[in-house]
């Protein structure tokens, strides 16, 4: 994301002008937008014209509109963002108050104005404009006959390809059909890797599978690369890292990222940090449940006691249309940081973010044990009795 201009007043009202450069920037933009914001961008409008003879025709005209945002629609697979709202600035083609939908695209500038730029939104702008935050991890999650090619960016897990090939069972004395189908499957996976992984950006390619599938696949891939003199694969051989996973389904990516060998290799990536934080939370919940809280009420209670060491929160909660609810989460984040706690904002498009979403989207690892809310309620009710 490219920051063109930033004008934010002392009362936190103001506007920023940005140019999204890729699919991930469109996802960042989706997280910046809220109902009630004003969005100014170039768009195409169908305009009816009447000639001197009275005949009516219609032309598609490019114009710049400023909308008051009413609905935001994001397609995570195609990474398309459509924003619908009413026109709030004079325009020769579009009346004031008329509805229009702007489709935000990469490499097209837009200006976003808000009455209140809170700390979470400003942090999102900084992260989006930081060039070190890029898709530096790729993963091939596979089992016999099924493979997923994924790109792991700091903000989301993108499934770039899904390969499914029917592999017949081995028959006694005749494995030909099985071996041919397996070779065809491996060839399709190799082609998908070359098509979807940019080795100039990607630092590491995880190849994860149950059993010996990953070893057999890597042997096949590099044998073929030597035969065909495929320099792209041979030059980047050191980037491939084999790890265990329980299956070839996308959810098994979390297991691959948890592997200690992977954690040390990817220590500088946000995705690995999120997986580790969630893993630490589950361990704490198992061994010291009084130091692991989830759910807004419980986490707020722990924050009142200044007990939060690490706050885990899903970015989905900041997309809440109710301003009061959103402000409540922002205040919690600011308060934890003021008390020297760490805040990890999880992307709901990451595997780890999906898991956090199942835990209400908010959890905390505490510095010291705090009595559970349910225990306190039981105590107070027994006192009343």
């Amino acid at each position: 994301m490219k920051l063109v201009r930033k004008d934010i007043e002392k009362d936190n009202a103001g506007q920023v002008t940005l140019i999204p450069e890729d699919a991930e920037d469109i996802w960042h933009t989706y997280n910046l937008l809220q109902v009630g914001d004003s969005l100014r961008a170039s768009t195409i409008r169908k305009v009816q014209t009447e000639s001197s003879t009275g005949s009516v025709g219609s032309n598609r005209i490019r114009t710049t509109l400023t909308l008051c945002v009413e609905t935001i629609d994001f397609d995570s697979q195609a990474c398309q963002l459509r924003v619908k709202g009413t026109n709030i600035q004079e325009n020769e083609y579009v009346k004031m108050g008329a509805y229009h939908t702007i489709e935000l695209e990469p490499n097209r500038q837009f200006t976003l104005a808000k009455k209140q730029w809170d700390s979470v939104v400003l942090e999102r702008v900084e992260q989006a404009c930081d060039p070190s935050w890029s898709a530096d991890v790729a993963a091939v999650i596979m089992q016999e006959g099924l493979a997923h090619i994924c790109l792991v960016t700091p903000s989301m897990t993108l499934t770039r390809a899904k390969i499914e090939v029917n592999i017949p069972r081995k028959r006694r004395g005749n494995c030909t059909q099985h071996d041919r189908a397996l070779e065809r499957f491996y060839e399709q996976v190799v082609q998908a890797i070359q098509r979807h992984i940019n080795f100039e950006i990607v630092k590491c390619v995880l190849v994860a599978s149950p059993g010996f599938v990953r070893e057999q696949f890597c042997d096949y891939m590099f044998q073929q690369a030597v035969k065909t003199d495929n320099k792209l694969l041979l030059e980047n051989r050191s980037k491939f890292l084999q790890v265990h996973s329980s299956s070839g389904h996308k959810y098994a990516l979390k297991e691959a990222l948890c592997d200690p060998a992977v954690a040390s290799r990817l220590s500088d990536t946000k995705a690995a940090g999120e997986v580790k934080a969630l893993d630490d939370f589950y361990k704490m919940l198992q061994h010291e449940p009084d130091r692991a809280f989830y759910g807004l009420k419980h986490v707020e209670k722990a924050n009142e006691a200044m007990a939060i060491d690490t706050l885990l929160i899903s970015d989905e909660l900041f997309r809440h249309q109710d301003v009061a609810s959103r402000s409540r989460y922002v205040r919690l984040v600011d308060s934890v940081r003021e008390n020297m706690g760490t805040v990890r904002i999880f992307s709901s498009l990451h595997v780890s973010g999906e898991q956090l979403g199942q835990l209400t989207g908010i959890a905390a690892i505490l510095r010291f044990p705090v009595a559970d809310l349910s225990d306190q309620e039981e105590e107070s009710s027994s006192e009343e009795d």
Side-chain angles (χ1 to χ4, degrees):
M1 187 92 83
K2 198 173 176 185
L3 180 64
V4 179
R5 193 184 171 97
K6 187 176 174 184
D7 299 312
I8 293 171
E9 307 295 330
K10 285 181 181 175
D11 62 351
N12 281 343
Q15 62 183 37
V16 295
T17 302
L18 298 160
I19 301 173
E21 293 175 316
D22 53 30
E24 189 169 351
D25 291 341
I26 299 294
W27 166 250
H28 283 304
T29 306
Y30 171 55
N31 282 283
L32 294 173
L33 284 163
Q34 286 168 265
V35 172
D37 292 348
S38 90
L39 175 71
R40 183 174 175 79
S42 169
T43 184
I44 290 173
R45 178 84 174 186
K46 205 173 184 181
V47 178
Q48 285 196 334
T49 53
E50 193 174 329
S51 68
S52 53
T53 58
S55 61
V56 176
S58 65
N59 294 320
R60 288 163 68 81
I61 291 169
R62 184 164 286 285
T63 182
T64 301
L65 291 180
T66 306
L67 303 183
C68 176
V69 178
E70 287 193 13
T71 56
I72 306 151
D73 177 36
F74 179 71
D75 180 348
S76 61
Q77 290 306 309
C79 277
Q80 288 180 330
L81 179 60
R82 292 182 186 85
V83 184
K84 185 183 176 185
T86 51
N87 183 31
I88 55 171
Q89 217 169 72
E90 287 288 345
N91 184 285
E92 63 174 301
Y93 303 112
V94 186
K95 290 177 186 173
M96 291 279 282
Y99 277 93
H100 186 78
T101 300
I102 290 177
E103 189 169 316
L104 291 174
E105 300 168 338
N107 303 313
R108 187 156 289 158
Q109 183 173 302
F110 69 87
T111 300
L112 179 63
K114 288 177 179 283
K115 290 172 185 168
Q116 179 74 29
W117 285 86
D118 58 52
S119 60
V120 173
V121 182
L122 289 171
E123 187 184 347
R124 171 76 69 170
V125 172
E126 275 176 40
Q127 286 176 1
C129 298
D130 182 352
S132 66
W133 283 57
S134 54
D136 50 6
V137 183
V140 183
I141 313 292
M142 65 195 306
Q143 64 188 46
E144 277 199 5
L146 173 69
H148 287 83
I149 313 289
C150 302
L151 292 180
V152 185
T153 75
S155 307
M156 55 166 119
T157 304
L158 292 166
T159 304
R160 278 286 171 242
K162 182 182 180 182
I163 297 113
E164 279 184 289
V165 172
N166 186 30
I167 312 279
R169 285 187 177 184
K170 283 184 181 178
R171 289 184 180 163
R172 190 176 293 170
N174 183 10
C175 301
T176 318
Q177 278 189 308
H178 173 271
D179 293 347
R180 274 185 192 159
L182 203 56
E183 196 171 307
R184 196 170 69 250
F185 168 60
Y186 287 163
E187 182 53 37
Q188 286 183 26
V189 177
V190 172
Q191 286 174 8
I193 287 172
Q194 292 179 95
R195 195 179 307 123
H196 297 292
I197 296 175
N198 181 350
F199 286 99
E200 287 177 17
I201 297 171
V202 168
K203 293 176 187 170
C204 176
V205 183
L206 306 179
V207 183
S209 77
F212 297 102
V213 178
R214 57 187 179 276
E215 286 96 334
Q216 289 165 1
F217 167 70
C218 286
D219 288 347
Y220 170 85
M221 177 167 61
F222 291 116
Q223 278 169 16
Q224 290 299 312
V226 170
K227 275 184 195 173
T228 57
D229 193 25
N230 188 325
K231 286 177 182 170
L232 180 72
L233 291 175
L234 293 172
E235 285 170 7
N236 291 286
R237 189 170 187 161
S238 60
K239 291 184 180 179
F240 285 83
L241 183 64
Q242 295 177 30
V243 287
H244 172 79
S245 70
S246 59
S247 77
H249 293 279
K250 187 183 162 186
Y251 66 80
L253 179 60
K254 180 184 174 287
E255 298 166 25
L257 290 168
C258 277
D259 190 289
V262 177
S264 62
R265 185 96 167 250
L266 310 180
S267 56
D268 58 337
T269 68
K270 180 174 180 276
E274 286 182 3
V275 170
K276 187 182 180 301
L278 196 62
D279 208 35
D280 290 347
F281 173 78
Y282 280 124
K283 282 177 187 168
M284 193 67 81
L285 192 63
Q286 199 174 355
H287 301 297
E288 290 184 72
D290 284 349
R291 284 183 60 199
F293 279 16
Y294 61 92
L296 183 58
K297 243 183 184 178
H298 288 72
V299 171
E300 280 182 330
K301 195 77 184 168
N303 186 50
E304 282 170 24
M306 295 167 78
I308 296 178
D309 183 42
T310 307
L311 177 70
L312 288 61
I313 186 164
S314 170
D315 60 10
E316 204 165 12
L317 300 176
F318 298 112
R319 293 199 292 274
H320 215 291
Q321 298 304 345
D322 179 29
V323 178
S325 298
R326 185 194 154 83
S327 302
R328 192 174 171 185
Y329 293 119
V330 172
R331 280 198 304 274
L332 178 63
V333 166
D334 291 342
S335 174
V336 169
R337 282 180 176 148
E338 279 167 21
N339 296 330
M340 307 306 288
T342 305
V343 176
R344 286 200 169 274
I345 298 175
F346 283 60
S347 167
S348 54
L349 284 192
H350 257 319
V351 192
S352 51
E354 286 171 15
Q355 283 197 307
L356 183 62
Q358 290 165 5
L359 286 171
T360 72
I362 187 165
I365 299 168
L366 311 187
R367 296 187 178 106
F368 49 83
V370 173
D372 202 332
L373 273 181
S374 52
D375 297 344
Q376 292 177 2
E377 284 162 10
E378 281 171 23
E379 283 171 26
S380 59
S381 61
S382 60
E383 281 170 19
E384 285 168 15
D385 294 343

